[in-house]
Amino acid sequence: MAIPILKQGDVLIASLQADPTDNDLIQLRDELAERIGRLRSIGVVIDVSALDVLDSFATRTLRGIAQTTRLRGADTVIVGVQPEVAFSMVQLGLTLDGIATALDLEEGCARLRQRVDDEASRGS
C-alpha cells in the first residue's frame, strides 16, 4: 500500500496510515526525494498520528528521510507522535534527534514556515 503524499502549496504532506511495511517506508523516502525537486517544495510534514508503534526500522527510515530531504533543500517535521509511542521509543532508546517534531499538522506547517522565514531574514 503506497503512502499518500499531498501537496499543500510548497509543502508535501505524507500521512502514514496503519502500520506501513518496510517497503512502504522506502518507497516514501524515494518518492519524497523525487517530488521535492520536481515540485520545488520547501518542506515535508510526515504525520504519524495513526501509528501505534514506531519500531527501529521505521525510526531509522524517518531519520533517513529527514536527511535526504535536507540534502534536497527541504526541511522535515514529524507530527502526531502519540504519547504511548513516545514512551515506547524512549524505553527502546529510539530517537528522532535533529528532526523537528510538532503536535499536529497545523503546528508542523507553522514550524516549517517559521524556519523558512528565519532563513530568509538571515539571508537579507
Side-chain angles (χ1 to χ4, degrees), residues 18-119:
D19 289 324
T21 66
D22 294 353
N23 286 335
D24 291 339
L25 292 169
I26 291 169
Q27 182 180 358
L28 175 65
R29 179 199 63 202
D30 296 346
E31 193 161 333
L32 284 172
E34 185 273 328
R35 285 194 192 189
I36 287 167
R38 182 167 43 90
L39 300 174
R40 305 302 238 189
S41 299
I42 61 155
V44 173
V45 176
I46 301 175
D47 184 355
V48 298
S49 60
L51 300 184
D52 294 330
V53 67
L54 277 171
D55 63 17
S56 61
F57 183 82
T59 303
R60 191 169 55 250
T61 304
L62 288 173
R63 283 195 311 257
I65 288 171
Q67 291 169 342
T68 301
T69 59
R70 171 56 82 187
L71 290 170
R72 296 285 289 149
D75 288 320
T76 300
V77 178
I78 296 178
V79 303
V81 176
Q82 298 299 320
E84 312 79 42
V85 174
F87 292 138
S88 296
M89 290 175 69
V90 169
Q91 289 176 339
L92 295 172
L94 303 175
T95 66
L96 294 172
D97 288 341
I99 304 171
T101 58
L103 288 176
D104 57 28
L105 183 59
E106 185 176 348
E107 185 180 321
C109 287
R111 186 166 288 197
L112 280 176
R113 294 274 173 235
Q114 185 62 47
R115 282 181 151 180
V116 170
D117 292 345
D118 290 349
E119 287 180 15

